[in-house]
Amino acid sequence: MNRTAVDPRRGELTVGELARRSGVPASTVRFYEREGLIHSRRTGGNQRRYARDTLRRIAFVRASQRLGIRLADIRDALSLLPLGRTPTQEDWARVSSRWHGELTLRIELLLKLRDKLTDCIGCGCLSLDGCALVNPCDVLGETGSGACGLAALPTDTAYESPAVRDAS
């Protein structure tokens, strides 16, 4: 049997086959499995075998990551999909609909960023009282004078605009 062919008896893929078909390195396939994003079964020789629908799951993970969605959120969404069968279009629609509102808010924020970026002259600019990106509504004016803008911003989370907070 050709080493790169899918085993026709099982219709499953090896790690290498899944990596080649999905376009991600084998190490990424194993990482996604460790993170609970995809699942495999083990053969008698302890080799991983993946159902063919794992290709769609990896494509979903990669597209979601490109949108800036955290792995934990991707894992939560994928946990809604059935493991015993190939997900249907309705299954995928249910999963993706969870992010519709969040993605809409991100798009709005990105559009504001695009439109205001030409007015921004970078971090520590002289217009912090009017900066719609770093200091909307001059919220940093209450923290003191000087270059307090960057020190006051949280470093472990993305900026959340007042519109995003109010929508929550």
Side-chain angles (χ1 to χ4, degrees):
M1 179 163 87
N2 182 340
R3 299 183 116 244
T4 61
V6 174
D7 183 347
R9 295 169 292 159
R10 306 233 20 115
E12 297 175 320
L13 302 167
T14 65
V15 171
E17 293 161 350
L18 185 60
R20 181 180 53 79
R21 294 277 313 276
S22 66
V24 301
S27 59
T28 300
V29 170
R30 289 187 287 271
F31 171 75
Y32 285 168
E33 186 172 357
R34 273 193 314 275
E35 292 297 311
L37 301 168
I38 61 173
H39 305 281
S40 69
R41 75 167 187 88
R42 297 295 182 131
T43 66
N46 202 30
Q47 296 174 334
R48 293 176 170 97
R49 294 293 184 266
Y50 297 91
R52 292 170 92 43
D53 63 35
T54 307
L55 287 166
R56 289 187 182 141
R57 292 173 192 259
I58 289 177
F60 179 80
V61 170
R62 293 181 73 200
S64 301
Q65 287 180 303
R66 281 188 212 112
L67 296 173
I69 297 173
R70 298 175 323 125
L71 282 181
D73 294 333
I74 298 169
R75 181 179 36 254
D76 291 345
L78 287 172
S79 72
L80 301 174
L81 294 175
L83 286 177
R85 65 172 171 78
T86 300
T88 64
Q89 185 173 359
E90 292 80 23
D91 292 327
W92 286 109
R94 186 178 69 251
V95 168
S96 63
S97 70
R98 295 181 65 183
W99 293 335
H100 188 270
E102 179 183 341
L103 291 175
T104 299
L105 290 172
R106 284 184 187 204
I107 290 167
E108 290 171 6
L109 185 59
L110 285 171
L111 288 172
K112 287 179 186 176
L113 174 64
R114 181 200 64 197
D115 295 342
K116 299 287 185 179
L117 194 55
T118 56
D119 296 334
C120 182
I121 58 173
C123 300
C125 69
L126 299 176
S127 62
L128 276 180
D129 60 333
C131 182
L133 300 176
V134 177
N135 190 23
C137 305
D138 194 23
V139 295
L140 295 177
E142 299 174 15
T143 62
S145 60
C148 60
L150 294 178
L153 292 176
T155 58
D156 60 339
T157 59
Y159 169 72
E160 186 176 34
S161 71
V164 173
R165 280 194 302 270
D166 295 342
S168 299

